[in-house]
Amino acid sequence: MHSQETKPILEVNDLCVVFKTEAGRATILDKVSFKLQKNKTLGIVGESGSGKTITALSVLNLIPSPPLDSMSGEIRFQGENLLTFTKSQLRKVRGNRIAYIFQEPMTALNPVLTIGDQIVEMIRAHNSISKKEARDKAVHLLTEVGITSPIQRLKNYPHEISGGMRQRAMIAIALSCDPDILIADEPTTALDVTIQAQVLDLFKYLIESRGMSIIFVTHDLGVIAEIADDILVLQAGKTIEYDSIDKVFHDPQHPYTQKLLSLIKGGVA
Ligand SMILES: Nc1ncnc2c1ncn2[C@@H]1O[C@H](COP(=O)(O)OP(=O)(O)OP(=O)(O)O)[C@@H](O)[C@H]1O
Ligand SMILES: [Mg+2]
């Protein structure tokens, strides 16, 4: 049983994604389905190339064309199918109701704008508030994500701060519009192990304090064990396991999941 409750905040049904490349058409996602409940975290795992990022990008229709050829299925957010939304309808959802943290923090941050300007810009794009109010909110957000001396940090450019700090800044930007859903693609992967643990602790803190729904993409089952309620395991664009974390960790049904689990030493969950 998944952590079923009330109506899910996001429901993906039979999502298929087809790419058109020089080599021809390729099915990248094949009937992927999952539900995200309110205040719950869904972990998406799988080896490199299994379709984790494409699944995450699909939710907000962020896959560039090319290579995208077509998408089908349903992505129901609070009942409405996002696949039928126009670009401008989607823009209102993106960064506002659903925030996205990209796999590469350096490419997602604008190198020529200070951290402060980027957060203020994001806040003001979605709220009609003054620069001063947005700045105060930015300071508050940086404090919330554990950045010390936030007033100083607002003046820094992305290259002037450490990788862990950049990831915290990315999270602050994502939180700036109080999203209902946060999609985080490998938010800890590029970090050193100790910093990884700190950023993971930040996610745990945010889950408790904000009560958000999170899609957390990672290839690391150990990370999933610490943070997720439900788990979706992908392989070559197909769902091979989807259940509550307890069920999958204690009674994995698929040989692939069994193998993934056996790679985590010392036991988890
Ligand atoms: N721009 C692209 N052009 C062509 N194929 C692509 C492109 N981006 C992704 N793919 C293909 O889509 C499939 C799924 O890729 P995806 O990026 O979702 O994998 P992933 O699970 O996120 O991997 P990783 O753990 O390395 O981030 C792979 O087979 C990949 O080769
Ligand atoms: Mg990826």
Side-chain angles (χ1 to χ4, degrees):
M1 273 289 278
H2 314 124
S3 52
Q4 305 272 358
E5 281 177 4
T6 45
K7 248 175 97 184
I9 187 163
L10 185 78
E11 185 171 350
V12 172
N13 295 318
D14 290 336
L15 177 66
C16 293
V17 171
V18 176
F19 278 9
K20 197 171 164 183
T21 62
E22 276 163 23
R25 275 200 176 73
T27 301
I28 301 294
L29 293 182
D30 189 5
K31 293 197 169 176
V32 171
S33 300
F34 59 86
K35 292 184 174 93
L36 180 65
Q37 302 290 349
K38 214 159 181 284
N39 301 347
K40 298 284 181 192
T41 297
L42 170 75
I44 301 183
V45 296
E47 62 199 358
S48 185
S50 57
K52 304 181 298 293
T53 295
I54 298 302
T55 303
L57 289 172
S58 295
V59 173
L60 285 169
N61 210 337
L62 289 171
I63 307 171
S65 179
L68 182 66
D69 179 67
S70 60
M71 285 170 83
S72 64
E74 280 185 335
I75 297 177
R76 296 216 162 263
F77 171 58
Q78 294 178 331
E80 292 188 281
N81 186 3
L82 296 182
L83 282 187
T84 66
F85 274 36
T86 62
K87 279 214 163 74
S88 79
Q89 282 176 311
L90 267 177
R91 223 173 289 125
K92 281 184 195 140
V93 174
R94 192 185 308 163
N96 194 0
R97 317 284 359 128
I98 304 179
Y100 199 103
I101 297 176
F102 289 89
Q103 191 162 354
E104 302 291 336
M106 259 330 244
T107 53
L109 285 169
N110 187 335
V112 299
L113 286 181
T114 62
I115 298 295
D117 285 343
Q118 296 187 57
I119 302 181
V120 166
E121 200 173 84
M122 185 72 175
I123 295 171
R124 294 192 79 209
H126 294 278
N127 302 279
S128 49
I129 58 174
S130 71
K131 259 200 171 140
K132 164 87 176 66
E133 282 173 301
R135 237 186 147 64
D136 290 346
K137 190 167 177 190
V139 170
H140 182 84
L141 279 166
L142 289 189
T143 309
E144 186 181 359
V145 298
I147 291 182
T148 50
S149 314
I151 295 171
Q152 282 307 112
R153 294 289 83 83
L154 285 178
K155 295 175 197 151
N156 287 136
Y157 289 90
H159 72 268
E160 293 176 325
I161 59 177
S162 68
M165 195 94 89
R166 269 199 297 271
Q167 196 52 278
R168 285 177 195 271
M170 285 300 303
I171 296 167
I173 292 171
L175 294 177
S176 64
C177 300
D178 299 318
D180 300 312
I181 298 176
L182 179 63
I183 301 176
D185 190 358
E186 304 267 10
T188 60
T189 307
L191 306 171
D192 291 347
V193 176
T194 33
I195 310 294
Q196 240 181 48
Q198 289 171 12
V199 172
L200 203 56
D201 282 344
L202 170 62
F203 269 92
K204 286 189 208 160
Y205 163 74
L206 293 172
I207 291 166
E208 276 192 19
S209 61
R210 284 195 171 237
M212 276 182 301
S213 304
I214 298 183
I215 295 179
F216 197 104
V217 173
T218 177
H219 62 274
D220 187 339
L221 269 183
V223 167
I224 287 292
E226 284 203 49
I227 199 165
D229 299 288
D230 290 333
I231 179 170
L232 172 74
V233 186
L234 296 177
Q235 188 186 35
K238 287 191 168 72
T239 301
I240 59 164
E241 197 130 21
Y242 172 50
D243 218 316
S244 73
I245 196 90
D246 289 344
K247 178 78 171 43
V248 174
F249 273 77
H250 293 116
D251 186 19
Q253 298 299 304
H254 197 282
Y256 174 76
T257 321
Q258 288 162 3
K259 192 174 137 229
L260 272 184
L261 280 169
S262 72
L263 296 174
I264 310 178
K265 296 201 180 94
V268 280

